[in-house]
Amino acid sequence: MALTAKLELRQGQQLVMTPQLQQAIKLLQLSNLELEQYVDGELERNPLLEREEGDSGDANGESPGSDGDQVNGASLDDDWLDLDKPRSDPDGTFDTDLDNVYPDASVADVSQDMFGSGWAGLKGRGPGSMSDDDANIEAFVSSSISLKDHLSQQLPLALTEPAHRIIGQYLIDLVDDAGYLNADLDELSEKLGAPESMVEEVLEALQKFDPPGVFARSLGECLELQLKELNRYDPQIAALLDNLGLVATHDFAKLKRVVGVDMDELTDMITEIKGLNPKPGLMFGSVQVQPVVPDVLVRSAADGSWLVELNSDTLPRVLVNRSYYARVAKAASTGDDKEYLSDCLQTANWLVKSLDQRARTILKVAQEIVRQQDGFFTYGVQYLRPLNLKTVAEAISMHESTVSRVTSNKYMATSRGIFELKYFFTSSISAADDGEAHSSEAVRFRIKQLIDGETSNLILSDDKIVDLLRSDGIDIARRTVAKYREAMRIPSSVQRRREKRLSGVTARAT
């Protein structure tokens, strides 16, 4: 067979991910905070974009622009800016004469006070005329002291030797946010080139710093330092701290034998330990927690249906300033300038359309979720239905990947709280009588209800919970119950029985 070269024409279709399409997909999965940051960056890069303020701009996302500077319809002339010029109330701000507002002063005195030396001094200042005596606004911003700063302030008061201070400052830098020292003294001694006895001496001094319990190398040592500060450390409490594992497992019978006390005294000791702070360093410094701002608002209507609307506070409003584009385009002389302006206009138009499409898609997905999970909004989590991305995607004629991006990092505010949109997509658990499947989230809620209803005389094992769920028509395995229980951080039936017994003893003691 001979090999020959030839030309052929073939027609085909393929999806090309253009930069604009990539941008639209990226905007879908951004949260409202990330979207705000992205839009801020675009506003800085693109001179044709501007924020919509109030009702300015038309419905097509275009800003008409303005000529001249005006305030409330009045032009800013030189007379208005002349602060030295005494005046009455030209704009009728007070709705009366100055004599009535300031009855004890003349009009001239009032004008001098309002527009005199203080305002006149400000008028003469330029952008670079700020003096050192001027107040710095940043100096009034509240700040919280960190744990390491708090410990460093105590260091010169406790240690006087320069070598000790160097070691102390090094140990302070090793303390974590909870106040623990996760380091080996042998390695520290070798790294610092100091005797281990000196490092131990410095550590002993640092362990007396405020807050009590800092520089501990374990939970037991942290509690020990706090008890010594309270003068409550004795051999019995020391034996209890050496066996904290028995406290965690609620093995009180063995704990009584090890500590050598009766049950009442043991209960008092455990209660005292529970009153201590296992992470003393967390009281210093603050981590700013960003509150969740819902993207969708759901409220009930008068006819019993649900109204779904977007939260306008999370939607950035940007406009394309076409009047500015027309004015600048006339002055563009080179080809590069014209190409730059054309790219800016195209990018600005696409961003406005992408933001609008993003908002419409979120609303469309949220409305379908509310329709599918109507029982949850009406009766509660026990009526949450199994739901997957495919069901919603087919209902609104979109791809599953689009629904997945829309529901990521988006939140819905309802009468039952704020939930992530992903929360409403749960796996299904078969019914025992071939009925409708149950949502896994509803099953978790039912398990928690059964455990919360326990008494000290009736603790439900996992097998018993399986029997109760099957009597409710839920076909579930024991290992699934155990998995859900552990996911909700609920201890086993043995540990719950010991906790109930301890709480009963504590109640009788008090």
Side-chain angles (χ1 to χ4, degrees), residues 443-453 488 490:
V443 174
R444 288 191 184 95
F445 179 78
R446 178 58 178 157
I447 293 174
K448 190 175 185 304
Q449 272 188 327
L450 293 174
I451 294 177
D452 290 343
M488 293 185 290
I490 298 177

Side-chain angles (χ1 to χ4, degrees), residues 308-356:
V308 184
E309 56 188 3
L310 294 174
N311 185 3
S312 59
D313 295 336
T314 63
L315 300 177
R317 297 180 177 88
V318 293
L319 303 173
V320 182
N321 195 335
R322 294 188 178 274
S323 61
Y324 178 71
Y325 169 76
R327 188 163 59 250
V328 175
K330 293 179 181 179
S333 57
T334 64
D336 292 340
D337 293 343
K338 295 179 180 179
E339 183 180 357
Y340 171 74
L341 289 174
S342 177
D343 291 341
C344 288
L345 180 61
Q346 183 180 2
T347 303
N349 287 330
W350 186 266
L351 178 62
V352 172
K353 293 179 181 178
S354 298
L355 292 175
D356 179 69

